[in-house]
Amino acid sequence: MEPGAAPGPERLFDSHRFIVRVMCSVLGLFVQQSDPRLRDVSVQVYIANHVTQFDHNVINLLTSCNTPALNGAPGFICWSRGFMELGVTGSRAELVDSLKAYSSHRENPPLLLFPEEAATNGRAGLLRFSSWPFSILDVVQPVALQVQRPLITVSVADSSWITELLWTFFVPFTVYQVRWMPSVPRRAEELSEDFALRVQELLAMELGVVSTRLTAADKAEHMKRLRHTSLLRFAPASSQPLAARPTMPSSLPGVGSFAPEDVRITAMAQRVKEVLPHVPLEVIRTDLAQTNCVDTTIANLLEGRVPFFPESEAGADLPAPSTSQAAAASGIQGSVAVPTSKPATKQFAKSPVERHLSLQERKRALYDYARRRFAEKHGAARAGGSP
């Protein structure tokens, strides 16, 4: 009796993937997929949306595929995370040529690519797809990926893959849902950019999200601004540039060169309050936290970019102002009557030049009013303190 034929390599790989999926289930990582028969075995490029740092590992549990390492140093860490090293460190054109050579060998597993090039939470929209993954072959198969996790979000912006791995082990379970979509061929004379946009629209419809035009570079720039804002919030005043550091008034006790950020904002808010006494102080502080500039905040308030309700008691304790002073105290709520030969218009000017001149007149009137208030207040204080 002859022995039975040995199992093929594909069956061995399927058995290995089944064992790994069982081990992942014990760790709380569950993978579900739609009808596996929808997966096209003749396709050499899979296109998926990017949700977590382990999307390629999850899809690799369902079918053999390779994801090239685009970022990070090659070596043991790259291999242990399941990325394929190509040894290409140059431009995207060299990467595409290398992937074309890889795909020309039919015995190689398909490529799994993430054109978004950055992970998102997968709930709002898709980042704009890069065109280079669609320059490799003329047929791709989209893969819709959704991830659910209790209590903790599945993707935290600007977090490392180690942090994501620890959270995956910490939460009770994480469910990955993989849906295979029909293969999409390139149309006649269709550019790679148009091909990428068409596949992006199909994936967005399948996921029920918006197809945006934001790129991975836009996300990186947004995260950079968030980090810069958080650092400014806790940085001491001494770390700021001298040009951006305001002069602390002597009326604020305990303010030195190493004052914290909130004291510095308070000092700047007092300067704006002297010019615009009818504007609530909290509104001024909120805008200063964003602009970090007294002049810019004054311009925002004058031009109506920052909405607010004027304080009714702002002019109660003030001396009776002149006509120009009363108009200056009304701020942006009305036009400012400047004692010039040409009165300010009471409606929105049609010409940009007239609008600019009107703004400059209001600014000049407000600055003059602030100087007079300052002189009257300090003059009265010196008169009351003299013997």
Side-chain angles (χ1 to χ4, degrees), residues 24-80:
C24 291
S25 301
V26 174
L27 296 175
L29 188 65
F30 298 93
V31 182
Q32 302 174 352
Q33 67 172 330
S34 60
D35 191 351
R37 293 172 296 181
L38 296 177
R39 181 172 58 86
D40 193 343
V41 295
S42 63
V43 172
Q44 288 294 104
V45 177
Y46 299 143
I47 299 295
N49 58 302
H50 204 359
V51 183
T52 70
Q53 303 284 348
F54 310 104
D55 296 342
H56 62 287
N57 302 108
V58 169
I59 298 180
N60 209 356
L61 294 176
L62 304 176
T63 182
S64 297
C65 56
N66 286 326
T67 301
L70 303 180
N71 301 313
F76 174 76
I77 298 297
C78 180
W79 170 82
S80 62

Side-chain angles (χ1 to χ4, degrees), residues 248-255 270 274 377-378:
M248 298 299 176
S250 57
S251 59
L252 293 178
V255 176
Q270 291 295 337
E274 291 179 358
K377 180 174 64 176
H378 286 268

Side-chain angles (χ1 to χ4, degrees), residues 55 111 127 132 134 166 170 197 247 252 296 302 347 354 361 365:
D55 296 342
L111 292 171
L127 296 178
W132 66 264
F134 301 87
L166 294 177
F170 176 77
L197 180 60
T247 304
L252 293 178
T296 304
L302 288 176
Q347 60 183 0
E354 294 180 2
E361 290 173 357

Side-chain angles (χ1 to χ4, degrees), residues 13 103 114 129 150 176 286:
F13 285 138
S103 301
F114 301 96
F129 281 10
Y176 286 81
T286 302

Side-chain angles (χ1 to χ4, degrees), residues 36 165 189 255 337:
L165 180 63
E189 299 182 357
V255 176

